[in-house]
Amino acid sequence: MSEIKRLTPPQSRRVNALVKKECCNCFDGNCILLDDGDECVCPQLISYSLLCKWFRAAVLPLDKVLYAELYAAEDKRRCLVCGASFASSSNNVKYCPDCRKRITNRQAAERMRKRRVLVTQ
């Protein structure tokens, strides 16, 4: 995890949002750790790279999907419906979160249809 990762623009926006929301060292866009009397802009907010060691170690793992995109490529799974890659903490997950909701609703509707047919007969 010591190498500097380059970010795409969408990844950079997600990283910046995560820094502003979750990083305990970021206050009003300034880095408390780098403060030596003068305000210092957080380097993570103005870069397209993962520069901050604190961010990589403590804040980035909070967003499992982004962490998987950047570091844990082998932990990513492919959705059987749409083929999108997603992070999974379980071995038996087959669908991405978006497809999972649709599939679950479809399966529940089918299960209820079968149940109603059995009741009416």
Side-chain angles (χ1 to χ4, degrees), residues 3-112:
E3 73 276 359
I4 295 176
K5 295 282 187 175
R6 301 292 298 164
L7 303 172
T8 63
Q11 288 173 337
S12 179
R13 285 190 292 274
R14 288 169 54 195
V15 164
N16 289 347
L18 195 60
V19 167
K20 291 175 186 174
K21 182 179 177 188
E22 298 292 338
C23 186
C24 62
N25 296 320
C26 183
F27 181 72
D28 290 335
N30 298 319
C31 185
I32 295 172
L33 292 178
L34 299 176
D35 191 3
D36 59 352
D38 292 331
E39 292 182 346
C40 182
V41 177
C42 178
Q44 194 57 60
L45 292 175
I46 58 173
S47 173
Y48 276 100
S49 301
L50 289 179
L51 298 175
C52 181
K53 289 180 183 177
W54 175 259
F55 177 79
R56 288 189 305 229
V59 182
L60 185 59
L62 296 175
D63 187 348
K64 292 181 180 180
V65 174
L66 184 60
Y67 183 79
E69 280 182 27
L70 297 174
Y71 285 108
E74 63 275 357
D75 291 345
K76 289 170 59 173
R77 312 224 3 155
R78 290 266 177 204
C79 177
L80 292 178
V81 175
C82 66
S85 57
F86 63 97
S88 170
S89 57
S90 174
N91 288 338
N92 61 351
V93 177
K94 294 191 235 179
Y95 310 110
C96 68
D98 296 333
C99 293
R100 183 180 322 138
K101 187 183 266 186
R102 287 193 312 265
I103 297 291
T104 303
N105 288 342
R106 187 181 317 141
Q107 288 174 343
E110 185 62 32
R111 184 174 56 251
M112 291 307 290

Side-chain angles (χ1 to χ4, degrees), residues 108-121:
E110 185 62 32
R111 184 174 56 251
M112 291 307 290
R113 275 190 211 104
K114 288 181 181 178
R115 191 171 170 198
R116 283 187 215 108
V117 167
L118 291 174
V119 170
T120 57
Q121 290 180 350

